[in-house]
Amino acid sequence: IKIDFVTGDKDTELTDRLLIENQRFITLTLPMGPTEERLQNLARILANDGFNMAVASYEQNEYIGTRSTKIGDYDAIEVVGSYVDPSIGLLYVRLVGILNPDGERGIFSVANVVADRFELSGPDDLALTGSGKTLSSFEYIAE
């Protein structure tokens, strides 16, 4: 699933809309085991493979950091970085992997936030964006 947050309204031509941020949800498989071990594996995957894939097309990029967090009641890992898109400018990239406590199949989110659309004082403020608000209501549904 991909969500684009853009300027304008339903009457604004698509070509006149400007990106505010976008967010993708991607499935992942993470073997069951102790929570701490699963979080370490998730952190390694997101900080290495996930981040590198997210910024691969951009020469100017910076890894900011990885940390444990909570999304609702779920244990999660957050990876934050930035990159410069020549046509847009500075963007923040936020990857959040959410452990599924009941199975191997999980989800991670990749959000790209246009820096000049927000007054961000640090990585914590990324939770206040549209994609952050979307994540705050995330819930695994029992099969």
Side-chain angles (χ1 to χ4, degrees):
I1 296 173
K2 182 176 180 186
I3 303 167
D4 289 324
F5 299 88
V6 297
T7 60
D9 58 26
K10 64 181 179 136
D11 297 325
T12 305
E13 293 292 325
L14 288 177
T15 55
D16 293 333
R17 295 181 183 182
L18 300 173
L19 180 67
I20 297 171
E21 62 183 299
N22 63 35
Q23 181 175 33
R24 287 175 285 161
F25 289 93
I26 303 163
T27 60
L28 65 88
T29 301
L30 199 59
M32 295 302 288
T35 299
E36 192 57 40
E37 185 178 303
R38 295 180 80 207
L39 286 170
Q40 289 173 0
N41 288 336
L42 182 56
R44 188 179 64 254
I45 292 166
L46 293 180
N48 295 323
D49 300 334
F51 178 76
N52 288 332
M53 289 171 57
V55 300
S57 300
Y58 305 99
E59 193 173 301
Q60 292 180 293
N61 64 73
E62 177 186 6
Y63 167 81
I64 295 172
T66 299
R67 65 183 177 178
S68 295
T69 190
K70 287 281 203 182
I71 299 297
D73 293 332
Y74 301 111
D75 292 310
I77 293 293
E78 177 183 38
V79 173
V80 176
S82 64
Y83 63 93
V84 175
D85 180 305
S87 63
I88 298 174
L90 179 67
L91 287 96
Y92 291 100
V93 60
R94 180 182 187 221
L95 295 88
V96 178
I98 306 167
L99 282 188
N100 182 345
D102 300 320
E104 294 183 343
R105 295 184 61 189
I107 287 286
F108 73 98
S109 162
V110 180
N112 298 284
V113 179
V114 179
D116 68 2
R117 300 272 180 210
F118 298 93
E119 291 185 27
L120 302 172
S121 62
D124 288 340
D125 289 351
L126 291 170
L128 303 175
T129 64
S131 59
K133 292 296 185 184
T134 300
L135 273 179
S136 72
S137 64
F138 179 85
E139 185 176 337
Y140 284 109
I141 299 172
E143 293 183 25

